[in-house]
Amino acid sequence: MTVNNFFFRLFLLAFLSVGSIYAQSDEQKELEARKLRLQEEIQQFNTLLSQKRREKTDVLEDVEDLNQKIRIRKELIKVTNEQTNLISRQINNNINKISKLRDDLKELKSDYAEMIRKSYKSKSQQSRLMFLLSSEDFLQAYKRIQYMKQYTNHRKEQAAEIQSKTTQLQELNNGLVTQRKDKENLIAENRKEQASLEREMENQRGLIASIKEKESQYAAQIREKQKQADAIDRQIDKIIRDAIAKANAANKETTKESRESATKSSNFALTAEAKLVDTDFKANKGKLPWPVEKGVVKMRYGKQPHPVVKSVTIQSNGVRIATENGAQARAIYRGKVLAVQAIKGGNKAVLIQHGNYISVYNNLGKVYVKEGEKVTTKQEIGEVFTSPSDNETVLKFMIYDNNHTDNPANWIYRM
């Protein structure tokens, strides 16, 4: 192998290795960030559960809470496994690099030794001075001087390359020790999480068995709660329809005919300012802040089997977010308060208009804003109600596109 080919191979190997290291580093950072979020979610959930000092136990809620914890913990175990697998791949890659580097060093040292041997042999046959004096003319002598300089520099470069590759080899070996230690820590962490998961699942099985004995009774309770939730949703739907009609009738930027038409419509007739808010709101889809600073989603959007009694189907027009006592509800984006309403069986609700979209914050014990008021992103609009019977603090949050519900998880960052 020529010297030029050898250095090209070394450069190519280094380039590919750097690209691989950066890719793995980004993946590692993403996995670590996911793991920290899940650990924080579990911690939040444990904090919320510790606040629920109940006078009497609600088995259905206990199982719902346990289901949620199990789901989060399973996801955490999955992420930790992905981290372990990534480190295993990195270890294997580094072992292959070390093997390749050792072969390259062996070849480089062999070439260097041969160069030294030839140089010594050349010195023994004739001195540099004689080599120069034997030149036929000045130009040849000049070229020989340049050749000797290049030859000397090449020897120095090869010696430096040997030193550099030796250092890389030592660093890779040290890195292997660290990586193997990280892998051991992750495996130990995973065992701990697995043990917690097994305890929770055992507890879950016991609770579910007790529910099975009275399944028809619990199913009746769930259906009754669903009826109450449906009644509240109908109230909110009516509030939104009435608010759209009222806002359209009051819109002075439209003609009398269009206002009368808009009053009967299910969509907003937007002012220029409202159109701008609408555009900005849509542009931030998936990036909007949570309606509470800390919280865990206990029920997701849409039609779904009950998390405990699977024979019962429930409909959720929004999400239920469990949060801490005294938590403040926050506007997810700038807009105008469309309505503040006392909901029968549901405490108070605040509706905020963002162009064609409406965010709904239900189950508030206190409200800090009034109808028509403009609010900013993350502005506190009220305090989430804490139930005195079970000490649970839950915000019922919805997003409407005009008078149609939409999944909040599509809009809120990492919901």
Side-chain angles (χ1 to χ4, degrees), residues 158-383:
Q158 277 200 309
E161 189 66 26
I162 289 172
Q163 180 60 44
S164 172
K165 295 303 169 187
T166 302
T167 302
Q168 284 184 42
L169 190 60
Q170 291 170 343
E171 288 174 352
L172 282 171
N173 280 323
N174 292 337
L176 275 180
V177 174
T178 303
Q179 286 173 328
R180 283 173 173 147
K181 185 67 178 174
D182 289 343
K183 183 178 177 180
E184 288 173 7
N185 290 338
L186 283 171
I187 290 171
E189 193 176 319
N190 228 356
R191 287 198 190 104
K192 182 180 176 182
E193 293 297 337
Q194 196 69 44
S196 297
L197 178 63
E198 287 170 4
R199 286 194 300 271
E200 288 165 357
M201 290 182 73
E202 181 63 30
N203 191 12
Q204 179 196 47
R205 284 190 288 270
L207 289 172
I208 289 175
S210 69
I211 289 172
K212 287 288 183 186
E213 295 174 0
K214 300 178 181 178
E215 186 166 348
S216 59
Q217 179 183 331
Y218 286 118
Q221 287 180 19
I222 295 166
R223 290 190 185 98
E224 181 58 33
K225 284 185 177 180
Q226 182 66 52
K227 282 175 62 178
Q228 294 170 7
D230 291 342
I232 291 172
D233 288 343
R234 284 194 296 271
Q235 287 183 65
I236 292 173
D237 288 343
K238 185 178 184 305
I239 292 167
I240 288 175
R241 287 195 304 271
D242 293 345
I244 289 174
K246 181 180 177 183
N248 290 347
N251 187 350
K252 296 179 182 179
E253 293 185 19
T254 59
T255 64
K256 181 180 178 183
E257 291 77 12
S258 62
R259 283 202 303 273
E260 289 174 353
S261 174
T263 302
K264 300 173 184 177
S265 170
S266 60
N267 295 344
F268 282 104
L270 299 179
T271 64
E273 182 184 359
K275 285 178 182 176
L276 182 61
V277 175
D278 180 80
T279 301
D280 291 346
F281 188 82
K282 284 187 285 191
N284 282 279
K285 189 172 185 177
K287 297 180 287 187
L288 296 170
W290 280 58
V292 288
E293 188 175 354
K294 294 179 181 179
V296 177
V297 175
K298 289 194 66 177
M299 181 178 290
R300 298 196 169 272
Y301 175 85
K303 198 171 186 178
Q304 55 201 290
H306 189 273
V308 183
V309 182
K310 304 295 183 183
S311 59
V312 179
T313 300
I314 55 176
Q315 173 66 39
S316 174
N317 285 345
V319 292
R320 286 197 305 150
I321 303 173
T323 185
E324 55 194 4
N325 294 1
Q328 304 299 306
R330 313 181 301 177
I332 60 169
Y333 200 69
R334 63 189 173 95
K336 183 177 73 173
V337 178
L338 195 64
V340 176
Q341 193 77 24
I343 302 292
K344 186 179 178 182
N347 293 299
K348 297 174 184 175
V350 172
L351 288 72
I352 300 176
Q353 181 188 356
H354 318 277
N356 276 312
Y357 296 89
I358 304 163
S359 56
V360 180
Y361 313 77
N362 188 19
N363 200 37
L364 301 180
K366 298 177 184 176
V367 173
Y368 310 142
V369 292
K370 59 182 182 294
E371 185 177 325
E373 182 179 338
K374 289 185 179 180
V375 295
T376 57
T377 305
K378 291 187 178 181
Q379 179 179 329
E380 293 180 355
I381 59 172
E383 183 179 308

Side-chain angles (χ1 to χ4, degrees), residues 12-28 86 89-94 97 179:
L12 185 62
L13 175 66
F15 178 78
L16 293 174
S17 298
V18 168
S20 174
I21 287 168
Y22 279 123
Q24 289 174 343
S25 176
D26 289 343
E27 188 179 354
Q28 213 162 16
L86 176 61
R89 291 197 301 273
Q90 289 175 335
I91 288 171
N92 290 334
N93 287 340
N94 282 345
K97 286 177 192 174
Q179 286 173 328

Side-chain angles (χ1 to χ4, degrees), residues 41-56:
E41 198 170 349
I42 289 174
Q43 182 58 46
Q44 283 184 22
F45 212 87
N46 287 334
T47 302
L48 295 176
L49 289 178
S50 69
Q51 291 178 353
K52 293 165 71 173
R53 301 181 182 91
R54 304 176 184 176
E55 294 178 6
K56 60 178 182 177

